[in-house]
Amino acid sequence: MKNILNSLSFFSVLFFFVCSCDVVPEIEEENIVIEEEGISINVPNGFDFSTQHEVQITINDNTSSVRYDIYAYSDKKYFAGTETFENQEGEIVTEDLYKSDLISKLVFSGVPFKGVLSQTISLPKYYDKVYIRRNDNLKYSSSIENIVDQKVDYNYALANKSVTGKSGFPDIVSDFLYCVNGSAQLFQVDPLTGNLTDLSDMPMGSWTCAIDQENKTLYSIGKSSPYPLMKYSIENDTWEIVANIGRGGPRLDYNYRDGLLYFSTGNKLYTYNPTNGVNLNTWVINGLHSTSGGDLAFAEDGTLFLCTFSGLYRLELDANNEYQSSRISSDNLPFQPTSMTFDSNQELWLANNANSSDLIIMDTQTGGWQYNYGVNANNNTDLGRTINDLTTFRVFTQTEEDPDTDGDGIVDRDDSYPDDATKAFELFTPSKYGWGTVAFEDLWPTNGDYDFNDLAVNYRVVAVLNAEGLAVQLDFMINTKSNRASFTNGFGIELESILPSQIESVSGNILTHNYINQNTNGTEAGQDNAVIIIFDDSNSMLNSENKVSVKFTSPVSTNDLGTAPFNPFMIIDKLREKEVHLAYMNTTTLGLNTFEVEGTNNDADGNYISNNGFPWAINIVHDFKVPKESKAVNKAYNHFDSWAISGGLEFKDWYKDNPGYRNSDNIQF
């Protein structure tokens, strides 16, 4: 073995490890890498293999009752394969597809307390910007801010103050989604509850609808020849035919700025006078990857968005009087969008093409989305019918002051928990809709095969904050995505700066064996710091989403609490003292960091870094696709070596599905 390198890249070292975590380690000849002439690659000392960095966000704004939403943001694009679609000439073509590299998820929301909103968030290291969205009584503005020295300092300066109207009371708006379909149904969906209410039978089924808010009028174009422009009075519940348009299509919106209907089909955009159905203008739309289906909608600032079956686009009129489209959605959508509308919060709602449509929310800045209602939302909602188009009708009421139902100082519209005075906001890790993964090798302190699939746990951590931005609760969303070991392994999380006495209760964890002792509050007994054992058998949470809630006795500063996933660890085969942690992390009070083993102990100093400088656990701020059994991580991810050799400076996003990044044959999907 003298010819094996003493200091190798991960590419070299991990093939010195055994080929299976289910057997006693042994060296197979094909895994031995012989030193070649002049080749010696070093992993920097102290490199901890982390993929995330902590970023301090500080917002200064003395405006009362203004809410901020903070998103991860990146303007980089990556190759996402090829896409086949019908082009503007009606030809079927295949072209390369590039997408924005965006998590597109909300990280946290909050209202400044005494003029300051400050939180520390955890982001993938490849993010160098955040997107800050400001909501002042439904008046939105946004800013993309650079991360400098792990900080973002944002100061809002109120400019161009103006007062409109004679009343000092604000308008309060309630939104309703008005929907139509080819079965000639007009119905309403309450976006707060998903409840559906029938409104009227239409003269003809339709793929389109749009609302003139000021005149409380809905317009729709019939789906069949002669394609009538239909007009519905919301106040009077009556229909009339304005004129026959003579062409059909899937997209329609009303622009209150010029009082015209904007109608689109294929790669064409038209305007119509809603009073007589006369066509006024026609434009060409360039750059759509697919011209089928979809809808169009105007944002509050006048920006025109259009969706087709290939995703969401922003349209801009160029000097040649043609519309140029820019695709926003960052991934191929798993649904075909048929309709979209902005609500009063400038959330973009979409519906998909299905017998029972889903209602979906999408972010126009990042293209991030989620199912809100419908079968795919997995929240026991099923609309039971197709939505071929939808639009927003706003009901305004005026009140003397904004309600604060729970009296915590945060008005209801900005309060994520308007009926609970102890809760107000949420801080997400890695994001509101995203997942992170902690993956382990369980042959520590001997070498494993470094496929990181012995135990891989998906997590999303939600810190529930009060009106002052202090944490009152932690919710761990947990899903064991890989359990390829023969051992019965457990999983726990240590809150290193929190005492057990600071925890009021723990709920949702699953303990099926008898080697974990708990205090009455649900923390593990005998620990100096608060330790929560999520499960003692990985099978108990395998391929299912579980929620483990930790409530604090008193609110805790998030700076004192630290950032998720805190200090996660694996318990090997029910041996409570045998813990595996992330590189350079400490054991808990009950853990031992040194063990006598047969063969070579490759972690003699107990810092969870091997003698060659490599970890037994890794945290990926991403829904990590683990390697197949006995397929080392650098054989599944082609740039892992370069990332490790550079000390994390190169290929910070090595785990993503960029061109040339993955060897799919070696990855579990």
Side-chain angles (χ1 to χ4, degrees):
M1 292 299 170
K2 294 181 180 179
N3 56 357
I4 297 179
L5 291 178
N6 291 326
S7 183
L8 293 172
S9 73
F10 197 61
F11 173 84
S12 301
V13 171
L14 57 87
F15 289 104
F16 180 76
F17 300 152
V18 300
C19 283
S20 172
C21 296
D22 300 341
V23 296
V24 176
E26 64 178 346
I27 298 172
E28 296 187 8
E29 288 300 320
E30 61 181 292
N31 292 336
I32 298 175
V33 179
I34 307 300
E35 181 175 5
E36 298 176 8
E37 264 186 62
I39 299 178
S40 179
I41 303 175
N42 296 300
V43 176
N45 290 332
F47 177 55
D48 63 2
F49 291 83
S50 64
T51 62
Q52 78 284 356
H53 61 159
E54 295 183 0
V55 180
Q56 179 71 37
I57 309 290
T58 302
I59 296 172
N60 294 286
D61 190 337
N62 289 314
T63 310
S64 61
S65 299
V66 61
R67 178 184 173 109
Y68 281 91
D69 299 316
I70 311 301
Y71 297 83
Y73 181 87
S74 173
D75 54 9
K76 294 181 180 179
K77 295 184 177 182
Y78 66 95
F79 176 71
T82 59
E83 183 182 46
T84 300
F85 57 91
E86 183 177 332
N87 67 13
Q88 298 172 31
E89 290 75 30
E91 301 170 337
I92 303 299
V93 298
T94 299
E95 292 185 356
D96 292 342
L97 178 64
Y98 290 88
K99 299 178 182 177
S100 298
D101 182 16
L102 301 166
I103 287 185
S104 69
K105 308 296 183 182
L106 179 67
V107 180
F108 81 94
S109 300
V111 170
F113 179 70
K114 296 182 179 180
V116 178
L117 176 62
S118 181
Q119 293 292 347
T120 300
I121 63 176
S122 179
L123 294 177
K125 286 186 176 179
Y126 61 83
Y127 279 101
D128 57 7
K129 299 176 183 177
V130 295
Y131 170 61
I132 298 176
R133 187 171 67 185
R134 183 179 188 270
N135 175 8
D136 182 5
N137 193 21
L138 306 180
K139 298 171 185 167
Y140 283 81
S141 60
S142 63
S143 179
I144 298 172
E145 297 292 324
N146 292 321
I147 298 171
V148 180
D149 296 329
Q150 308 305 116
K151 295 181 180 179
V152 173
D153 293 313
Y154 179 77
N155 297 293
Y156 178 78
L158 186 61
N160 301 320
K161 288 186 179 180
S162 63
V163 177
T164 58
K166 296 181 180 180
S167 173
F169 303 153
D171 283 332
I172 303 300
V173 59
S174 298
D175 290 336
F176 296 95
L177 304 178
Y178 275 54
C179 310
V180 303
N181 59 27
S183 299
Q185 295 173 304
L186 171 65
F187 53 100
Q188 155 191 305
V189 176
D190 186 340
L192 297 180
T193 63
N195 292 337
L196 183 151
T197 303
D198 286 304
L199 298 177
S200 177
D201 291 329
M202 305 174 66
M204 180 184 288
S206 177
W207 314 132
T208 62
C209 64
I211 284 181
D212 173 358
Q213 180 67 47
E214 182 178 358
N215 294 303
K216 297 181 177 61
T217 300
L218 179 141
Y219 294 96
S220 183
I221 298 173
K223 68 176 183 178
S224 302
S225 180
Y227 306 107
L229 174 61
M230 302 176 288
K231 179 180 178 180
Y232 175 71
S233 171
I234 295 173
E235 287 184 319
N236 300 323
D237 189 26
T238 58
W239 288 93
E240 65 177 283
I241 304 299
V242 176
N244 293 322
I245 297 298
R247 60 168 61 93
R251 313 172 197 128
L252 184 70
D253 200 15
Y254 178 82
N255 187 355
Y256 73 86
R257 298 161 188 82
D258 57 17
L260 300 179
L261 289 169
Y262 282 67
F263 172 73
S264 177
T265 183
N267 68 330
K268 296 294 180 61
L269 177 66
Y270 310 88
T271 52
Y272 286 90
N273 185 332
T275 63
N276 55 23
V278 173
N279 177 215
L280 302 177
N281 295 288
T282 302
W283 293 277
V284 172
I285 305 172
N286 298 310
L288 298 176
H289 297 78
S290 169
T291 58
S292 299
D295 197 13
L296 58 85
F298 285 93
E300 186 60 33
D301 63 1
T303 302
L304 180 57
F305 292 90
L306 182 146
C307 71
T308 72
F309 286 169
S310 58
L312 179 67
Y313 299 81
R314 181 182 290 107
L315 300 186
E316 293 182 355
L317 195 63
D318 66 14
N320 297 320
N321 202 35
E322 295 184 349
Y323 276 97
Q324 301 295 332
S325 64
S326 302
R327 185 153 70 167
I328 298 171
S329 44
S330 59
D331 289 300
N332 281 340
L333 302 176
F335 56 86
Q336 293 181 323
T338 59
S339 48
M340 66 181 186
T341 184
F342 285 94
D343 65 16
S344 296
N345 291 318
Q346 288 301 283
E347 291 272 20
L348 184 64
W349 290 79
L350 296 90
N352 60 350
N353 189 27
N355 291 330
S356 181
S357 293
D358 298 296
L359 283 172
I360 301 146
I361 286 184
M362 179 176 282
D363 185 346
T364 60
Q365 292 292 330
T366 66
W369 60 273
Q370 72 165 358
Y371 290 110
N372 255 34
Y373 300 111
V375 176
N376 286 308
N378 294 319
N379 56 8
N380 297 319
T381 58
D382 185 352
L383 299 178
R385 64 180 66 177
T386 299
I387 298 175
N388 290 120
D389 200 7
L390 55 79
T391 186
T392 302
F393 179 63
R394 299 171 174 87
V395 179
F396 293 90
T397 57
Q398 201 171 71
T399 183
E400 185 171 346
E401 61 182 20
D402 292 327
D404 177 12
T405 301
D406 57 17
D408 63 355
I410 306 299
V411 297
D412 289 357
R413 70 167 185 272
D414 295 331
D415 196 332
S416 298
Y417 300 87
D419 298 318
D420 189 336
T422 67
K423 303 175 181 177
F425 311 114
E426 294 174 323
L427 172 64
F428 303 95
T429 304
S431 64
K432 185 174 182 178
Y433 310 124
W435 292 94
T437 306
V438 186
F440 297 90
E441 285 286 302
D442 67 358
L443 288 181
W444 176 86
T446 61
N447 289 331
D449 55 8
Y450 275 71
D451 52 22
F452 284 109
N453 66 22
D454 296 340
L455 177 63
V457 178
N458 268 12
Y459 67 86
R460 179 188 299 136
V461 182
V462 183
V464 181
L465 313 178
N466 65 12
E468 298 181 19
L470 302 176
V472 298
Q473 180 174 319
L474 288 175
D475 289 335
F476 295 90
M477 309 307 297
I478 299 293
N479 179 8
T480 300
K481 67 183 302 179
S482 181
N483 179 29
R484 298 302 298 270
S486 61
F487 296 150
T488 300
N489 295 322
F491 177 70
I493 294 174
E494 180 185 28
L495 306 178
E496 294 181 288
S497 59
I498 302 298
L499 298 174
S501 59
Q502 292 178 266
I503 305 298
E504 177 182 307
S505 65
V506 176
S507 62
N509 56 334
I510 300 177
L511 303 179
T512 58
H513 301 282
N514 296 318
Y515 68 93
I516 301 297
N517 297 313
Q518 294 188 104
N519 298 312
T520 56
N521 62 0
T523 60
E524 188 176 25
Q527 297 281 12
D528 292 340
N529 303 323
V531 174
I532 296 91
I533 304 300
I534 303 295
F535 55 76
D536 59 6
D537 187 336
S538 52
N539 287 316
S540 63
M541 293 188 180
L542 185 62
N543 298 323
S544 65
E545 185 175 324
N546 297 265
K547 179 179 178 180
V548 178
S549 293
V550 178
K551 295 182 179 180
F552 298 110
T553 55
S554 299
V556 178
S557 165
T558 54
N559 288 332
D560 293 337
L561 181 61
T563 56
F566 309 108
N567 184 12
F569 61 94
M570 174 176 62
I571 301 171
I572 298 178
D573 204 24
K574 297 186 288 187
L575 297 176
R576 179 58 196 87
E577 68 276 14
K578 198 169 186 179
E579 301 176 353
V580 178
H581 290 255
L582 298 172
Y584 299 110
M585 296 297 286
N586 296 318
T587 62
T588 71
T589 306
L590 299 182
L592 297 177
N593 61 357
T594 59
F595 274 85
E596 292 185 5
V597 295
E598 294 183 10
T600 303
N601 183 336
N602 281 295
D603 188 16
D605 52 5
N607 60 3
Y608 298 103
I609 284 287
S610 74
N611 297 336
N612 298 97
F614 306 110
W616 280 267
I618 190 168
N619 176 43
I620 310 294
V621 193
H622 188 78
D623 185 3
F624 182 54
K625 304 299 187 294
V626 298
K628 291 180 178 178
E629 183 60 31
S630 300
K631 300 298 182 181
V633 67
N634 72 332
K635 286 301 183 183
Y637 292 90
N638 298 324
H639 297 300
F640 184 94
D641 288 343
S642 297
W643 171 69
I645 293 166
S646 69
L649 298 178
E650 297 180 5
F651 293 102
K652 296 177 182 179
D653 58 352
W654 59 267
Y655 45 84
K656 297 185 68 179
D657 192 16
N658 290 351
Y661 274 44
R662 293 179 179 177
N663 182 352
S664 297
D665 292 340
N666 292 338
I667 295 177
Q668 297 182 38
F669 289 96

